[in-house]
Amino acid sequence: MVKHFDPTCPKCKQAFHVHHEDLRNAGVKLLCPYCGERFHVEEADSILEHDGRRWKPGAGARAGQ
Amino acid sequence: MSRLKLEQRQDESLSTHDLRDFIARVEKEGPGELLRIRDEVRPDGFEVTAILANLEERGRYPMVLFERPLNLLGEVSAFPLLTNVYASRTRCAMALGLTPQQHRLDLSMEYSRREARRLAPLALEREAAPVKQVVKTGLQIDLRELPIVRHHKMDPAPYIDMTPVMRDPDQGQYNIAFLRNMYKGPRRLGIHMSPRHNWQICRKYEERNLPTPVVIVVSHHPAFYLGALNVSPFGVDDYELVGSMMGQPLRLVPSETWGKDFMVPADAEMVIEGEIPPGVREVEGPFGEFPGTYGPQRLRWVIDVKALTHRRDAIYQDVFVGHRDNWVLGAIPKEGTLFNRIKGVVPTVKAVHLPNSGTGRFNCYISIDKKVDGESKQAALIALGECDFVKNVFVVDADIDPFDEEQVMWAFATRVQADQDVDIIKNVKGNTLEPSQNDDILTTKMIIDATKPVRRTFASRVEVPKEVREKFRVERYL
Ligand SMILES: [Zn+2]
């Protein structure tokens, strides 16, 4: 499987799979498949990285960059 | 340019070109193979896949015709929705003009025979083409009128999951592939491509800063779609190969957008014509994919829809991706090819099957009438080398039916010592959507040799004397 990370939507708080190479650092808004919210990676409620680390973008250092 | 001929020999095993005759044959000859649902259902609200999943839970895999699906505007669609067509090998056999009983190796071998042939397409005048009965272009088009299916919970939108066709700008051959198309707007779709044939064609147009013409064949006879899954190399004209698969020339008609420069299937129920603008990428997915797991959201191409043409009473078609509908489709084209390749080296090969439990791709069961130790390993290595989807190969003796998974697992249980009969091959090219793979490209393959050794004694299988069994046939008691 290609590497993916799982951001949690800031609006509906549900997580989904996103292709790491395509979208981790592309600066493009992600699309929440559950509620349709569009948000930047940094705006995610939390992120589960492909290596299993979970972090909250609003809470401090930007991991996985 | 694809070769067009006005006259061709027609295969009598298939008397028609279209989907509705296939549906009629299934209804007549395959009791229980067609389920008609007359209730209103919302395909974009998971209601179609909910019914399919509930049928699956009961071990039922009929082709389902939803007669009153709602479209994306919430109205009863003008187009009935047909799905789960390929979820039974019996129906796939019927699609190729075989009897329902010929659904096992006969079906794979017939596919293989037809795949090796080509049949030049036939050009029709516009007036004779059923797919031109209704033509919409520009602002007349509203994809929301279609009963597009949203399949799984993490899918962000309804998806058309049938076959986009592209045409190589250099050599002119047409390529057909199952690719997912995300609904994005009344005249806009997303499209996902892996680095295969259509991706190569699109790349050529993009390098020239040109839009890529694309035609989505939304609904046609199932032999069209079985042919679309061929494993032929780049450069083969899929319209010619599909003609061979259908047993008669594929009838074509000029597209609305490009005229004779891009021909479209005249007997399709519905086609969508569009262009992929160069250099444009948008988020697309996630999407519940063939392994039964989600592929992640990606940055992918888009399609600007230019024309929608269809029969007056067109039937819209869908594949229940990630389920048996998708798996049987994947297995059939590979089994016949693998059988032929293995037979060239191990002439005693009896059958090859890619079971639904391996998504019709990842697991491969091969039976051989082994004469020499080591032949089993040869057969397995050919299967692994021939098809990069194949991950785990089980080789069994000729007394085991590879189409009967219980028998295969019995051989695995009673004829395998893991330290002697299992081989692990690391760092082989795999498939990016296979979820256990922890590298983008590389995977680990496995050979399980569940055959008995030739050069030493081995416990025989129990048997009830045949002559006594024949005296006591159960028909007397049932
Ligand atoms: Zn959301």
Side-chain angles (χ1 to χ4, degrees):
Chain A
M1 184 72 167
V2 290
K3 279 182 193 167
H4 67 86
F5 63 100
D6 294 357
T8 296
C9 171
K11 188 176 169 196
C12 73
K13 314 295 181 196
Q14 296 188 79
F16 57 97
H17 301 337
V18 178
H19 192 272
H20 185 93
E21 194 180 322
D22 276 8
L23 285 162
R24 185 66 183 81
N25 299 304
V28 174
K29 281 188 175 177
L30 308 178
L31 168 65
C32 174
Y34 302 108
C35 73
E37 178 76 353
R38 291 184 184 267
F39 61 96
H40 286 289
V41 173
E42 296 77 13
E43 295 164 340
D45 196 61
S46 67
I47 293 174
L48 179 62
E49 299 287 1
H50 67 85
D51 61 6
R53 285 177 300 135
R54 183 182 290 281
W55 64 291
K56 284 184 173 287
R62 285 158 57 122
Q65 298 280 310
Chain B
M1 189 68 191
S2 187
R3 285 179 288 124
L4 299 173
K5 289 184 188 169
L6 289 175
E7 287 185 20
Q8 285 288 336
R9 182 188 68 81
Q10 298 206 356
D11 187 331
E12 294 305 317
S13 64
L14 272 178
S15 60
T16 64
H17 294 84
D18 68 22
L19 175 62
R20 50 205 64 219
D21 292 301
F22 173 75
I23 296 171
R25 186 183 168 205
V26 168
E27 196 157 31
K28 184 166 167 247
E29 297 178 27
E33 295 282 348
L34 174 66
L35 177 63
R36 289 177 181 270
I37 292 189
R38 297 185 172 91
D39 292 348
E40 288 182 12
V41 290
R42 277 195 58 201
D44 64 333
F46 307 108
E47 292 181 3
V48 162
T49 51
I51 290 170
L52 296 177
N54 289 343
L55 284 165
E56 181 179 273
E57 197 173 69
R58 290 168 175 255
R60 298 280 303 276
Y61 300 92
M63 176 167 87
V64 185
L65 184 62
F66 291 90
E67 297 184 349
R68 291 170 60 78
L70 301 189
N71 61 25
L72 303 192
L73 296 163
E75 306 156 343
V76 175
S77 175
F79 310 106
L81 164 63
L82 184 71
T83 186
N84 227 29
V85 176
Y86 311 93
S88 108
R89 290 180 74 101
T90 302
R91 292 195 294 274
C92 293
M94 292 169 82
L96 294 193
L98 304 177
T99 66
Q101 293 72 34
Q102 291 176 292
H103 64 87
R104 299 186 352 155
L105 192 64
D106 288 339
L107 170 58
S108 319
M109 298 310 294
E110 183 60 25
Y111 188 100
S112 183
R113 269 191 290 279
R114 293 187 191 205
E115 191 188 33
R117 298 191 312 229
R118 303 287 179 270
L119 206 48
L122 183 69
L124 290 194
E125 292 300 322
R126 197 173 187 280
E127 295 69 33
V131 77
K132 298 290 190 182
Q133 285 169 357
V134 178
V135 174
K136 290 183 176 177
T137 55
L139 293 175
Q140 294 174 312
I141 305 163
D142 189 345
L143 296 178
R144 291 174 298 180
E145 291 172 356
L146 308 183
I148 311 176
V149 179
R150 195 169 173 192
H151 298 85
H152 295 103
K153 193 177 168 187
M154 205 189 282
D155 297 355
Y159 272 73
I160 299 169
D161 64 355
M162 302 308 286
T163 54
V165 182
M166 294 186 198
R167 188 168 189 214
D168 186 82
D170 299 324
Q171 295 158 292
Q173 85 277 5
Y174 292 92
N175 189 74
I176 316 170
F178 276 92
L179 301 172
R180 68 196 202 209
N181 296 113
M182 176 178 165
Y183 173 80
K184 284 178 173 255
R187 285 167 293 282
R188 196 169 175 88
L189 295 164
I191 180 167
H192 170 80
M193 287 180 271
S194 298
R196 298 177 74 88
H197 300 173
N198 275 1
W199 179 87
Q200 285 189 49
I201 291 171
C202 188
R203 186 179 53 80
K204 288 184 183 186
Y205 279 101
E206 272 204 320
E207 282 172 1
R208 295 162 204 188
N209 201 30
L210 293 171
T212 306
V214 58
V215 168
I216 303 169
V217 181
V218 179
S219 192
H220 204 304
H221 189 283
F224 178 93
Y225 296 107
L226 283 162
L229 275 163
N230 71 80
V231 288
S232 297
F234 188 73
V236 167
D237 190 305
D238 282 348
Y239 279 167
E240 295 185 1
L241 202 150
V242 160
S244 173
M245 204 57 68
M246 297 180 86
Q248 52 195 183
L250 183 66
R251 305 201 309 168
L252 299 176
V253 65
S255 58
E256 295 304 303
T257 314
W258 312 279
K260 289 181 177 172
D261 289 340
F262 202 125
M263 303 290 280
V264 304
D267 295 295
E269 296 286 319
M270 179 183 287
V271 304
I272 296 170
E273 301 176 10
E275 287 181 340
I276 300 173
V280 177
R281 302 288 189 276
E282 293 181 1
V283 290
E284 181 278 332
F287 186 66
E289 273 287 358
F290 78 86
T293 51
Y294 292 103
Q297 186 162 99
R298 300 206 60 166
L299 209 47
R300 303 275 91 176
W301 301 261
V302 299
I303 298 174
D304 291 320
V305 175
K306 302 292 182 189
L308 170 68
T309 79
H310 57 82
R311 293 174 183 240
R312 255 186 299 277
D313 53 351
I315 298 164
Y316 179 93
Q317 207 174 146
D318 177 81
V319 166
F320 191 21
V321 57
H323 297 259
R324 193 175 283 198
D325 197 18
N326 194 187
W327 300 339
V328 172
L329 254 178
I332 292 165
K334 297 172 186 70
E335 289 172 355
T337 306
L338 289 177
F339 181 89
N340 285 336
R341 300 286 190 277
I342 293 166
K343 196 167 183 63
V345 177
V346 183
T348 59
V349 61
K350 293 296 173 198
V352 175
H353 180 46
L354 304 181
N356 291 324
S357 59
T359 78
R361 293 154 177 85
F362 297 139
N363 293 343
C364 177
Y365 300 161
I366 304 168
S367 70
I368 62 171
D369 186 9
K370 191 168 84 170
K371 303 296 184 195
V372 182
D373 282 328
E375 276 185 326
S376 35
K377 206 70 64 72
Q378 277 183 297
L381 288 167
I382 290 164
L384 290 174
E386 184 68 27
C387 180
D388 57 17
F389 278 107
V390 174
K391 195 173 93 170
N392 306 309
V393 181
F394 293 69
V395 188
V396 294
D397 288 307
D399 64 331
I400 301 296
D401 177 2
F403 286 85
D404 183 340
E405 194 150 60
E406 192 169 324
Q407 288 191 37
V408 174
M409 288 298 113
W410 177 83
F412 179 40
T414 61
R415 295 176 180 175
V416 171
Q417 282 290 293
D419 64 332
Q420 294 160 46
D421 301 316
V422 177
D423 290 280
I424 308 287
I425 307 168
K426 293 179 182 172
N427 300 321
V428 190
K429 181 174 173 287
N431 183 282
T432 55
L433 285 168
E434 198 274 285
S436 77
Q437 200 170 297
N438 53 20
D439 184 272
D440 281 3
I441 298 163
L442 301 176
T443 192
T444 299
K445 309 246 177 181
M446 178 166 65
I447 297 171
I448 295 173
D449 185 352
T451 60
K452 295 180 288 184
V454 172
R455 291 176 297 168
R456 66 175 173 85
T457 56
F458 196 91
S460 299
R461 207 172 170 177
V462 296
E463 56 183 332
V464 176
K466 197 176 169 190
E467 63 280 11
V468 183
R469 282 179 62 177
E470 280 171 2
K471 272 171 62 182
F472 288 85
R473 303 195 76 88
V474 289
E475 287 77 8
R476 286 163 58 183
Y477 310 109
L478 294 175

